[in-house]
């Protein structure tokens, strides 16, 4: 069974971010897919799938070389101070920029992440929920993932 590359990319991002000791000092293990679980005091990191494109071989177009995947990686925090999320977004970028590695395990997740590059930084307008303000910052990251 070949890998489902978007899942391989997600596993890589979550694992890479949760393993960083400095980031863990800022957000603990609060790295989630799509949205935070339950009521969070924060701060936390949310990873969302944006898009993917397969890159085929030049010779016949029938062999997939890799999949280029875009994920949005955002930091959220209940705060009035955008510097809180900017600091965490900066650390996320330090961890992910120009990184790569191998994901092992079941066939549907096994593969190689050849590179991760931020294609644009994000400073997202605050979101208000009653009297609570959420600041958000992060980036869109492009990665090349090859099935094992």
């Amino acid at each position: 069974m070949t890998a489902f590359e978007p899942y391989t990319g997600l596993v890589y991002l979550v694992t890479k971010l949760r393993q960083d000791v400095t980031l863990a000092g800022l957000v603990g293990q609060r790295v989630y897919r799509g949205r935070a679980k339950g009521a969070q005091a924060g701060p936390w990191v949310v990873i969302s799938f944006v898009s993917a494109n397969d890159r085929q071989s030049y010779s016949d177009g029938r062999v997939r070389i890799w999949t280029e995947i875009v994920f949005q990686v955002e930091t959220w925090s209940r705060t009035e101070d955008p510097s809180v999320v900017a600091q965490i977004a900066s650390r996320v970028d330090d961890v992910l920029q120009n990184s790569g590695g191998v994901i092992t395990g079941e066939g549907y997740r096994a593969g190689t992440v050849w590179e991760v590059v931020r294609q644009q930084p994000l400073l997202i307008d605050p979101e208000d929920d009653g009297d609570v303000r959420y600041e958000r910052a992060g980036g869109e990251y492009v990665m090349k993932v090859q099935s094992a």
Side-chain angles (χ1 to χ4, degrees), residues 131-147:
D131 292 337
V132 178
R133 171 160 280 195
Y134 295 93
E135 288 286 346
R136 300 162 57 193
E140 281 191 0
Y141 290 85
V142 179
M143 60 173 35
K144 291 180 181 171
V145 179
Q146 187 175 43
S147 180

Side-chain angles (χ1 to χ4, degrees), residues 48-65:
S48 302
F49 174 83
V50 175
S51 65
N53 291 294
D54 287 336
R55 299 296 180 224
Q56 309 297 334
S57 71
Y58 294 111
S59 61
D60 62 14
R62 292 181 288 172
V63 178
R64 183 174 37 232
I65 300 171

